[in-house]
Amino acid sequence: DDSAVNLRRLIPYLERVRCYPHVLVGGIHWAGFVPRAHWSGVRGDRCGWGWNAFSALNDYQREEGAPGAQGFKPACDSLGSLLPFPFAAGAGYVLSGAAMRFVGSSPAVRRWVEEAAGPEREALQWQKFEDTTTSYWLLFGDFRVKYLDINRWMHNGACRSNGQSLRTSGDLIRPASNKSVIVHDLKASGFAFAWEQMSPPLGVPYDHERCISLRKSEARQRRSEPQHEV
């Protein structure tokens, strides 16, 4: 994909949850999903959007406007959606073997796939995101899923003039650091710089000009590569 993964940081997180059979490691945006709720006007079927549980739950329980008035949006928790599954968006999922075996063998999952390919697919899959699909599959299991949130250390890569102070700030868009677990949004360029910034033991100081230079160089290289139709 378009993400750089720091295995040196990811593996210790996986070790923490190795004793749990059904595990999801990653960063979900704590956005509940209400299928076929577009009639309600609730944020295009999304509920409880936030980069952490606190902000998401505040949004999840918040009404907008007055009941009966134009533009009124009821609180998400009044429409039957529950956190954290199914969620509308997230990144960097790592599923345990038991969770993957369930997904691969469950009749409920197979039925969902068939229905999601049918005429109601727009209602079942918010913006057709694989995120929503994954969260529905896990919802069908008759087991508890241990969720390990590494959202703070998953972010989009970028060059910023104040990058040194941003690297460990928790912002969505920031340069990588040696604490980054997954650096996303590197479609056009940025892999080389992300790897360099994640190098142990302390990483290297952020160099804004080098960041811009490496990203431009990588972008030119990608544009010059032959394109193949699939």
Side-chain angles (χ1 to χ4, degrees):
D1 199 1
D2 58 339
S3 301
V5 180
N6 188 349
L7 291 178
R8 183 182 61 85
R9 287 274 290 155
L10 177 61
I11 290 175
Y13 282 114
L14 301 183
E15 289 287 340
R16 293 184 189 181
V17 291
R18 64 182 305 174
C19 293
Y20 296 91
H22 302 96
V23 178
L24 170 66
V25 178
I28 62 178
H29 300 174
W30 296 98
F33 182 81
V34 183
R36 299 181 175 86
H38 37 273
W39 55 268
S40 71
V42 178
R43 307 170 186 82
D45 294 355
R46 287 179 299 169
C47 281
W49 188 264
W51 277 102
N52 55 57
F54 177 80
S55 60
L57 286 171
N58 281 343
D59 183 51
Y60 196 70
Q61 299 168 358
R62 174 174 52 84
E63 290 185 349
E64 292 185 9
Q70 184 177 5
F72 170 69
K73 294 180 180 179
C76 299
D77 58 3
S78 69
L79 297 171
S81 182
L82 301 172
L83 294 175
F85 301 133
F87 51 85
Y93 313 126
V94 179
L95 295 176
S96 64
M100 285 300 298
R101 283 192 294 273
F102 166 77
V103 168
S105 61
S106 167
V109 170
R110 287 198 295 271
R111 285 195 299 271
W112 191 93
V113 171
E114 292 171 359
E115 292 176 8
E120 294 295 320
R121 61 182 179 276
E122 294 296 334
L124 285 167
Q125 303 177 73
W126 176 70
Q127 291 190 0
K128 299 181 286 298
F129 279 173
E130 70 277 10
D131 306 44
T132 310
T133 298
T134 304
S135 64
Y136 263 111
W137 291 349
L138 294 174
L139 183 66
F140 291 140
D142 59 351
F143 47 77
R144 293 176 64 88
V145 176
K146 179 68 174 178
Y147 170 55
L148 180 60
D149 182 9
I150 58 172
N151 197 47
R152 178 179 176 84
W153 306 116
M154 298 169 54
H155 59 90
N156 289 354
C159 299
R160 293 289 186 269
S161 58
N162 59 340
Q164 183 62 30
S165 61
L166 282 179
R167 295 170 78 193
T168 57
S169 66
D171 286 7
L172 169 61
I173 302 174
R174 66 184 194 265
S177 77
N178 66 315
K179 292 185 177 181
S180 300
V181 178
I182 297 177
V183 182
H184 188 57
D185 196 27
L186 304 176
K187 287 184 176 69
S189 63
F191 272 96
F193 190 73
W195 284 121
E196 183 178 281
Q197 295 292 292
M198 291 190 293
S199 297
L202 298 176
V204 295
Y206 176 72
D207 184 330
H208 185 55
E209 296 304 320
R210 181 167 175 77
C211 180
I212 294 174
S213 175
L214 283 177
R215 292 197 71 138
K216 285 182 177 179
S217 175
E218 193 170 323
R220 286 194 298 270
Q221 181 178 346
R222 290 197 179 192
R223 287 195 297 268
S224 65
E225 293 174 353
Q227 302 298 312
H228 302 284
E229 293 186 3
V230 178

